[in-house]
């Protein structure tokens, strides 16, 4: 049987991480990305009938770091494995500092992105369209996932040692679940690799003045439409004595999902400009416009419905500054555990 190199941990995994320091950002990012890769490989194991200790390639992606896959999350439409619940079971003799132990997760719920194989591609693309149409929350895959996360959080009495992780489509799933639980006061650690940002690719424009001008114009239009819509809703509510509309970002401002983006990946690179633009709007004295605009997308205003998954109040944004040879590499999961890559991390908080 032909083995794909990307599935083989011994060829492409982070073999250098023989001891994990949970206080080290590179270690945490690498482990989270590897667990997501483990879900990709578990689904390819299923499709290629690689079963048992001699053939299955997925277990080593978690067991190398002392995680055990205790449950596979299976889609009810195509029976594909789209996620999994990992439990951290380090050996007792493992030498770790007290701080490192406190920062380690007890459970990690990981979600893969789209798998371009016959057995899963039609369902995955259907889910991709739900992300584009801002309807991921209406899918049975989301219901299966959120229930699994809620059960884990309930079993440990909170979300402090529960991690969410996902790549691409799976990053959207992790962020949506994280937002949903954060609104209830539970703030799980979230690692979103190459999360889709549904917008025109303004970040690809080279001229900074043109780029900034387009963003300002977009913010003014978006904020104007959002305020007009809110005024209409409040007028209607006043006539019907309904409660005022809450600020959807206020309840999420203390949640800091970790977003990992690559400038060469047009599906996620817009996050770079999304957060930088907020700071620039504050600097030129019109931050109040951006505080309204940043909560809305034009599509969301015009089409209505749920808050867009990709819009975030706060975040820890990590950008891979190393060049990628093509889109496939820029969008891939493997980049996030590479030792020789240069990463830049900034913290953004909504106020």
């Amino acid at each position: 049987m032909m083995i794909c190199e990307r599935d083989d941990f011994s060829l492409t995994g982070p073999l250098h991480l023989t001891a994990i320091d949970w206080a080290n950002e590179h270690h945490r990012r690498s482990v989270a990305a590897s667990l997501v890769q483990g879900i990709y490989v578990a689904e390819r194991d299923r499709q290629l009938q690689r079963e048992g200790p001699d053939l299955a390639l997925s277990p080593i992606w978690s067991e190398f770091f002392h995680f055990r896959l205790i449950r596979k999350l299976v889609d009810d439409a195509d029976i594909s494995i789209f996620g999994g619940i990992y439990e951290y079971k380090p050996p007792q003799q493992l030498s770790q500092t007290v701080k490192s132990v406190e920062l380690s997760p007890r459970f990690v719920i990981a979600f893969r992105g789209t798998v371009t194989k016959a057995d899963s591609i039609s369902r995955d693309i259907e889910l991709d369209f739900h992300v584009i149409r801002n309807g991921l929350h209406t899918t049975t895959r989301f219901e299966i996932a959120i229930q699994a996360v809620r059960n884990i959080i309930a079993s440990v009495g909170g979300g402090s040692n529960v991690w969410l992780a996902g790549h691409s489509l799976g990053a959207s799933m992790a962020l949506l679940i994280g937002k949903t639980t954060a609104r209830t006061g539970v703030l799980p650690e979230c690692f979103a690799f190459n999360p889709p940002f549904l917008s025109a690719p303004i970040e690809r424009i080279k001229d900074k003045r043109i780029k900034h001008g387009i963003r300002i114009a977009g913010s003014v239009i978006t904020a104007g439409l959002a305020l007009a819509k809110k005024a209409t809703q409040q007028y209607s509510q006043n006539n019907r004595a309904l409660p005022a509309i809450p600020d959807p970002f206020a309840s999420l401002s203390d949640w800091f999902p970790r977003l990992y983006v690559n400038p060469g990946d047009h599906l996620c690179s817009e996050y770079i400009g999304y957060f930088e633009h907020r700071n620039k709007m504050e600097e030129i004295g019109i931050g109040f416009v951006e505080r309204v605009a940043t909560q809305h997308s034009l599509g969301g205003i015009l089409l209505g419905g749920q808050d867009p998954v990709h819009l975030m109040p706060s975040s820890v944004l990590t950008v891979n500054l190393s060049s990628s040879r093509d889109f496939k590499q820029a969008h891939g999961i493997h980049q996030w555990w590479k030792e020789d890559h240069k990463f830049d991390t900034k913290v953004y908080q909504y106020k």
Side-chain angles (χ1 to χ4, degrees), residues 190-340:
C190 182
F191 296 78
F193 300 100
N194 302 84
F197 191 104
L198 306 175
S199 170
I202 301 170
E203 192 59 30
R204 300 181 78 178
I205 297 171
K206 301 299 182 187
D207 190 308
K208 290 187 177 181
R209 288 176 301 174
I210 294 174
K211 186 159 58 175
H212 190 39
I214 291 172
R215 289 197 192 283
I216 291 176
S219 292
V220 171
I221 293 168
T222 302
L225 289 172
L227 290 171
K229 183 177 180 180
K230 186 175 182 179
T232 303
Q233 289 175 330
Q234 287 181 335
Y235 176 78
S236 174
Q237 287 178 344
N238 288 339
N239 287 344
R240 289 182 288 162
L242 292 173
I245 303 165
D247 177 353
F249 267 26
S251 60
L252 295 173
S253 60
D254 291 332
W255 182 54
F256 289 82
R258 296 175 178 275
L259 310 178
Y260 299 93
V261 305
N262 186 313
D265 176 6
H266 62 267
L267 293 180
C268 69
S269 62
E270 197 55 30
Y271 269 112
I272 301 169
Y274 172 70
F275 286 109
E276 285 182 350
H277 180 57
R278 278 194 209 168
N279 290 351
K280 287 176 182 173
M281 293 288 273
E282 290 286 351
E283 288 169 9
I284 63 175
I286 52 173
F288 65 94
V289 172
E290 188 57 21
R291 280 192 289 278
V292 175
T294 196
Q295 301 182 36
H296 302 275
S297 67
L298 282 174
I301 294 170
L302 298 174
L303 298 175
Q306 182 96 345
D307 297 332
V309 174
H310 63 277
L311 300 185
M312 293 289 143
S314 307
S315 84
V316 180
L317 180 70
T318 297
V319 179
N320 183 358
L321 299 178
S322 302
S323 60
S324 302
R325 67 174 177 269
D326 52 27
F327 167 76
K328 186 176 181 180
Q329 189 179 63
H331 189 67
I333 187 78
H334 289 69
Q335 64 184 299
W336 300 113
W337 59 72
K338 297 295 185 185
E339 274 188 298
D340 57 348

Side-chain angles (χ1 to χ4, degrees), residues 163-183:
W163 288 9
L164 304 174
H167 175 251
S168 194
L169 169 61
S172 291
M173 184 70 76
L175 288 171
L176 178 57
I177 292 170
K179 277 178 124 175
T180 305
T181 57
R183 286 199 171 100

